[in-house]
Short mmCIF file of all heavy atoms in Angstrom, two decimals:
data_model
loop_
_atom_site.label_atom_id
_atom_site.label_comp_id
_atom_site.label_asym_id
_atom_site.label_seq_id
_atom_site.Cartn_x
_atom_site.Cartn_y
_atom_site.Cartn_z
N HIS A 1179 -38.28 7.32 40.06
CA HIS A 1179 -37.52 8.09 41.06
C HIS A 1179 -36.19 7.40 41.37
O HIS A 1179 -35.14 8.06 41.46
CB HIS A 1179 -38.31 8.24 42.36
CG HIS A 1179 -39.55 9.07 42.24
ND1 HIS A 1179 -39.62 10.23 41.49
CD2 HIS A 1179 -40.78 8.91 42.78
CE1 HIS A 1179 -40.84 10.74 41.58
NE2 HIS A 1179 -41.56 9.95 42.35
N ALA A 1180 -36.21 6.09 41.53
CA ALA A 1180 -34.99 5.33 41.84
C ALA A 1180 -33.98 5.43 40.70
O ALA A 1180 -32.78 5.58 40.94
CB ALA A 1180 -35.33 3.87 42.13
N THR A 1181 -34.48 5.38 39.47
CA THR A 1181 -33.59 5.48 38.31
C THR A 1181 -32.90 6.83 38.27
O THR A 1181 -31.68 6.91 38.06
CB THR A 1181 -34.39 5.26 37.01
OG1 THR A 1181 -34.97 3.95 37.05
CG2 THR A 1181 -33.50 5.38 35.79
N ILE A 1182 -33.66 7.89 38.48
CA ILE A 1182 -33.08 9.25 38.46
C ILE A 1182 -32.07 9.42 39.59
O ILE A 1182 -30.99 9.98 39.40
CB ILE A 1182 -34.18 10.33 38.55
CG1 ILE A 1182 -35.08 10.27 37.31
CG2 ILE A 1182 -33.59 11.72 38.74
CD1 ILE A 1182 -34.38 10.52 36.00
N ALA A 1183 -32.40 8.93 40.79
CA ALA A 1183 -31.48 9.04 41.92
C ALA A 1183 -30.18 8.28 41.65
O ALA A 1183 -29.08 8.79 41.94
CB ALA A 1183 -32.14 8.51 43.19
N ALA A 1184 -30.28 7.09 41.08
CA ALA A 1184 -29.08 6.31 40.76
C ALA A 1184 -28.25 7.02 39.69
O ALA A 1184 -27.02 7.09 39.79
CB ALA A 1184 -29.47 4.91 40.29
N TYR A 1185 -28.91 7.57 38.69
CA TYR A 1185 -28.21 8.31 37.64
C TYR A 1185 -27.46 9.51 38.22
O TYR A 1185 -26.29 9.75 37.89
CB TYR A 1185 -29.20 8.78 36.57
CG TYR A 1185 -28.56 9.63 35.50
CD1 TYR A 1185 -27.84 9.04 34.46
CD2 TYR A 1185 -28.65 11.02 35.54
CE1 TYR A 1185 -27.23 9.83 33.49
CE2 TYR A 1185 -28.05 11.80 34.57
CZ TYR A 1185 -27.34 11.20 33.55
OH TYR A 1185 -26.73 11.97 32.60
N GLU A 1186 -28.12 10.26 39.09
CA GLU A 1186 -27.47 11.42 39.70
C GLU A 1186 -26.26 11.01 40.53
O GLU A 1186 -25.22 11.67 40.51
CB GLU A 1186 -28.47 12.19 40.56
CG GLU A 1186 -29.51 12.93 39.74
CD GLU A 1186 -30.58 13.60 40.57
OE1 GLU A 1186 -30.73 13.27 41.77
OE2 GLU A 1186 -31.29 14.46 40.01
N GLN A 1187 -26.38 9.90 41.26
CA GLN A 1187 -25.27 9.43 42.09
C GLN A 1187 -24.09 9.00 41.22
O GLN A 1187 -22.95 9.36 41.49
CB GLN A 1187 -25.72 8.27 42.98
CG GLN A 1187 -24.68 7.86 43.99
CD GLN A 1187 -24.42 8.93 45.02
OE1 GLN A 1187 -25.31 9.33 45.74
NE2 GLN A 1187 -23.20 9.41 45.10
N VAL A 1188 -24.36 8.24 40.17
CA VAL A 1188 -23.28 7.79 39.30
C VAL A 1188 -22.66 8.97 38.56
O VAL A 1188 -21.45 9.01 38.35
CB VAL A 1188 -23.77 6.69 38.33
CG1 VAL A 1188 -22.71 6.35 37.30
CG2 VAL A 1188 -24.17 5.45 39.09
N THR A 1189 -23.46 9.97 38.19
CA THR A 1189 -22.92 11.17 37.55
C THR A 1189 -21.95 11.88 38.49
O THR A 1189 -20.88 12.33 38.06
CB THR A 1189 -24.06 12.12 37.15
OG1 THR A 1189 -24.90 11.44 36.20
CG2 THR A 1189 -23.54 13.39 36.50
N ALA A 1190 -22.27 11.94 39.77
CA ALA A 1190 -21.37 12.55 40.74
C ALA A 1190 -20.07 11.74 40.86
O ALA A 1190 -18.98 12.32 40.89
CB ALA A 1190 -22.05 12.67 42.10
#
Side-chain angles (χ1 to χ4, degrees):
H1179 294 320
T1181 300
I1182 296 299
Y1185 176 80
E1186 289 175 344
Q1187 187 66 60
V1188 173
T1189 299

